[in-house]
Amino acid sequence: LYFPVARALERLVQPQNPIDALQLVSVLGGAVGAGLAYLVARGLGARRAAALGAALLLALSPAWWFFSTAIEVYGLHVACVALAALVTLH
């Protein structure tokens, strides 16, 4: 899934360096994963402040920060897992 998404983003954004599309997949995957984690927490009944705090703690953790900024597949995997959790919850 990583390379098809990177190719689609490359066509959409048209960066000067093709590696930037790979970087963008990781960054967007981490950001979407954090946002979906907020929605999952809200769906489980957490208040807004608690869900936001949990999502911020998750997004600012060293492992999340690393895998969302390095060219790795894990940022996209986290977004897919968070989406599956949200769909399952609702």
Side-chain angles (χ1 to χ4, degrees):
L1 184 63
Y2 192 82
F3 288 118
V5 171
R7 278 190 214 105
L9 279 174
E10 186 177 20
R11 279 187 237 122
L12 182 68
V13 177
Q14 298 177 351
Q16 292 180 351
N17 188 354
I19 294 176
D20 291 341
L22 297 172
Q23 180 78 35
L24 190 58
V25 172
S26 296
V27 171
L28 289 177
V32 168
L36 290 173
Y38 169 81
L39 293 176
V40 168
R42 290 288 292 154
L44 290 172
R47 294 185 177 176
R48 286 185 191 134
L52 179 62
L56 285 174
L57 282 173
L58 181 65
L60 296 176
S61 70
W64 194 286
W65 191 264
F66 174 77
F67 287 114
S68 293
T69 56
I71 297 176
E72 290 282 345
V73 298
Y74 304 112
L76 184 60
H77 286 182
V78 165
C80 291
V81 168
L83 180 63
L86 186 64
V87 168
T88 302
L89 183 62
H90 293 284

